[in-house]
Amino acid sequence: MLMFTPACNAFDQDIWAKELESFVPERVFDAHCHLWQEANAGNNREYQSTLRLEVDGQRLEEWSRIIFPGRELGFYYLGTPLRDSDIQGHNAFLLQESQHHHWPAAAIVTPQTTADQTAELLTQGFVGLKPYRSFAADPAECSIADYLPEDQMAVADHYGKIITLHLSKRNGLADPANQADLARYTKKYPRVTWILAHCARAFNSFMLEDTIWKLAEMGDNVWCDLSAVCDTYSHYLLLKHFNPRRLLFGSDNIAAGSDRGNYITWGRAWSFQPGQVCSHCDGQATLVVYEQLRAMKRAADMAGSSQEQIRNLFSDNAATLFH
């Protein structure tokens, strides 16, 4: 079992005080964070996966109070999508945490989840669905319907619920098939609120550079969360050219956002890079979520975002979406 011990070191605290304290507003709603309970691991054998950190609502809030000191906090709980885990047990745990802490939650669904099961999830308390590409036969190149069947979309549309979507394919949104699918599904199921996770998965800005215009022209039911992306230009493109009232802050905590390092890009790729010893500079690494916030701050400056737009991004947009 992997346990998480919350602690900010002196370097993290210095980054917060000097660079982020003045940028992050007084209210922070985290629209992309994950809970996990090891009792629901099932037949999963990803023993060393940091996704298997024991995180309930209380532990998430305790850690968030450390990394966002003095802020009023809110959360949208997402399930942790691990293959071969006990999905039913995990969703029961999620719903229990949601009801106990009074924050909305999204249930994990797989391609095997039936329409009736989806409807049951959305009527017993979940406000959204969390499909994930890892449940598809080809997680790297699957289409949206390979991991989110249309019968699930139809049920979410019927109830007017949310789908947080992590795009697949190596080129992400730059892939023409993804563009065509998104345009079709978001129009066909207009009562679904589609949250495209991780800047529409543009960890590398090339995925947005030629597609931001198409994304911006999709309906008002298309939103983006900014979680875990450390590419300044991806944030800039969304802040400059996407509807600012449909952007949401998210941290991807705890497993991803609270690792120390950065998601770096090269060519048409991106990957996590931990810190390293450097003789020519201070090689310490801070939290990924702090690197994300640094990128957001620079992008907001480049895009000329107002203080109102920044407040909306961190909390007021979520208040509108989650009522």
Side-chain angles (χ1 to χ4, degrees):
M1 181 185 300
L2 299 174
M3 299 300 294
F4 177 75
T5 304
C8 261
N9 61 33
F11 186 67
D12 302 326
Q13 293 168 1
D14 191 55
I15 293 286
W16 172 266
K18 293 180 178 178
E19 301 186 36
L20 302 176
E21 171 76 35
S22 62
F23 172 66
V24 178
E26 66 277 6
R27 293 192 300 275
V28 174
F29 189 96
D30 190 340
H32 190 125
C33 49
H34 296 274
L35 304 185
W36 175 252
Q37 186 181 48
E38 186 63 12
N40 298 311
N43 295 321
N44 187 277
R45 293 295 179 263
E46 297 179 63
Y47 179 74
Q48 293 299 326
S49 173
T50 56
L51 294 176
R52 289 175 61 173
L53 289 169
E54 286 270 354
V55 179
D56 59 12
Q58 179 178 344
R59 181 163 292 174
L60 175 66
E61 181 167 347
E62 289 171 352
W63 174 235
S64 298
R65 292 196 181 283
I66 291 173
I67 61 176
F68 305 123
R71 287 350 188 230
E72 180 182 335
L73 300 172
F75 305 95
Y76 182 38
Y77 298 152
L78 303 180
T80 298
L82 291 179
R83 289 177 67 97
D84 302 318
S85 58
D86 178 359
I87 301 298
Q88 184 176 354
H90 185 43
N91 283 335
F93 160 69
L94 273 175
L95 187 59
Q96 174 182 303
E97 291 298 297
S98 172
Q99 294 172 342
H100 178 70
H101 296 283
H102 306 292
W103 296 120
I108 293 289
V109 287
T110 76
Q112 289 72 46
T113 305
T114 67
D116 287 343
Q117 290 169 334
T118 303
E120 183 178 359
L121 290 168
L122 294 179
T123 55
Q124 67 182 358
F126 287 105
V127 305
L129 304 177
K130 181 68 182 81
Y132 197 66
R133 62 187 184 86
S134 63
F135 296 117
D138 182 2
E141 282 295 321
C142 54
S143 66
I144 293 172
D146 289 336
Y147 59 101
L148 177 66
E150 279 204 61
D151 59 356
Q152 295 177 18
M153 302 182 204
V155 172
D157 185 73
H158 175 76
Y159 290 106
K161 299 295 186 176
I162 299 167
I163 296 176
T164 296
L165 192 66
H166 182 118
L167 292 172
S168 183
K169 300 190 180 293
R170 287 174 175 82
N171 288 336
L173 189 60
D175 188 291
N178 269 342
Q179 295 170 34
D181 285 346
L182 273 177
R184 181 170 67 258
Y185 295 144
T186 56
K187 184 176 182 179
K188 185 175 181 180
Y189 303 107
R191 297 189 70 242
V192 173
T193 298
W194 299 85
I195 301 178
L196 306 183
H198 312 299
C199 297
R201 196 174 162 253
F203 283 89
N204 186 319
S205 61
F206 93 89
M207 298 177 180
L208 271 180
E209 288 169 12
D210 293 329
T211 59
I212 184 62
W213 321 109
K214 296 179 181 179
L215 190 63
E217 291 170 358
M218 290 186 186
D220 289 342
N221 59 330
V222 180
W223 295 55
C224 289
D225 79 46
L226 310 185
S227 60
V229 174
C230 302
D231 187 309
T232 297
Y233 197 54
S234 288
H235 289 289
Y236 167 80
L237 289 169
L238 286 169
L239 292 173
K240 184 69 174 178
H241 301 297
F242 195 72
N243 186 336
R245 291 312 306 263
R246 301 206 305 271
L247 295 175
L248 299 164
F249 172 74
S251 69
D252 211 3
N253 276 330
I254 287 180
S258 297
D259 210 344
R260 283 189 167 79
N262 203 338
Y263 284 99
I264 65 169
T265 64
W266 67 95
R268 293 181 176 173
W270 56 273
S271 184
F272 175 73
Q273 172 65 41
Q276 61 188 45
V277 176
C278 300
S279 61
H280 61 285
C281 59
D282 186 346
Q284 295 181 78
T286 190
L287 306 169
V288 168
V289 68
Y290 279 5
E291 294 290 3
Q292 173 196 333
L293 288 168
R294 296 170 93 190
M296 290 172 58
K297 178 182 177 182
R298 294 163 186 153
D301 181 55
M302 293 163 57
S305 300
S306 67
Q307 288 299 311
E308 179 183 9
Q309 288 173 328
I310 293 171
R311 284 195 302 272
N312 290 341
L313 166 62
F314 276 94
S315 64
D316 291 358
N317 292 348
T320 299
L321 176 58
F322 296 107
H323 311 295

